[in-house]
Amino acid sequence: MLMEKKLFAKSSDGINSYSVHFIIKEGKLSIFCDCPAGEWGKFCKHKLALLRNEKDMLFNRDQEKELAEVQNWVRQSKYPDMIKKLDIAEREAKKANAELKKVKKTFENAMKSGT
Ligand SMILES: [Zn+2]
């Protein structure tokens, strides 16, 4: 059985919208977005925000009920675990980036003043 929902996500300009398709086929949830990034099956912020149940991403607030229904599908999928992993990886990347900046600053100071 195939079930499908189409939600509209805000584009960054807030004027246009992208359509995000949630498709359940054989118990598996696939997500497609027609934004430039999402079109190639890549990760995009529209898919992620709607996966995260972010109502602010909805272009049309009338779709809140449909988003809630999509959330029922999401809960039965592996996406919640994947989102947790993503959040951890993002925190670690931020930490690593801060450390990198610090090390580069040390370099700059050393190269200016000598070491
Ligand atoms: Zn997108």
Side-chain angles (χ1 to χ4, degrees):
M1 190 167 77
L2 193 138
M3 284 187 287
E4 191 178 359
K5 283 221 181 294
K6 186 161 92 179
L7 298 177
F8 293 98
K10 280 180 193 164
S11 66
S12 357
D13 63 15
I15 300 160
N16 297 300
S17 66
Y18 295 117
S19 51
V20 185
H21 284 247
F22 292 81
I23 299 164
I24 294 243
K25 196 178 162 192
E26 289 156 16
K28 288 182 178 174
L29 177 58
S30 305
I31 309 162
F32 301 94
C33 179
D34 67 357
C35 78
E39 232 172 8
W40 301 98
K42 302 255 189 207
F43 191 85
C44 79
K45 60 182 175 184
H46 314 105
K47 296 181 210 175
L48 182 63
L50 294 176
L51 265 176
R52 285 185 191 274
N53 200 23
E54 288 173 14
K55 296 173 185 76
D56 288 343
M57 183 50 89
L58 287 174
F59 183 72
N60 183 350
R61 291 297 277 224
D62 292 350
Q63 286 202 305
E64 271 189 36
K65 211 184 141 203
E66 278 166 279
L67 178 59
E69 287 167 31
V70 163
Q71 285 301 310
N72 284 329
W73 296 354
V74 171
R75 275 190 286 276
Q76 289 164 46
S77 73
K78 288 181 177 148
Y79 291 111
D81 282 336
M82 290 165 66
I83 289 171
K84 268 181 216 154
K85 279 185 190 151
L86 178 72
D87 289 341
I88 292 167
E90 262 170 4
R91 265 199 306 274
E92 282 170 358
K94 236 182 230 167
K95 246 190 271 171
N97 228 355
E99 179 62 19
L100 182 62
K101 260 190 199 155
K102 217 168 78 185
V103 172
K104 280 184 178 170
K105 196 79 205 162
T106 310
F107 259 93
E108 281 174 9
N109 291 336
M111 290 187 278
K112 260 188 262 168
S113 331
T115 187

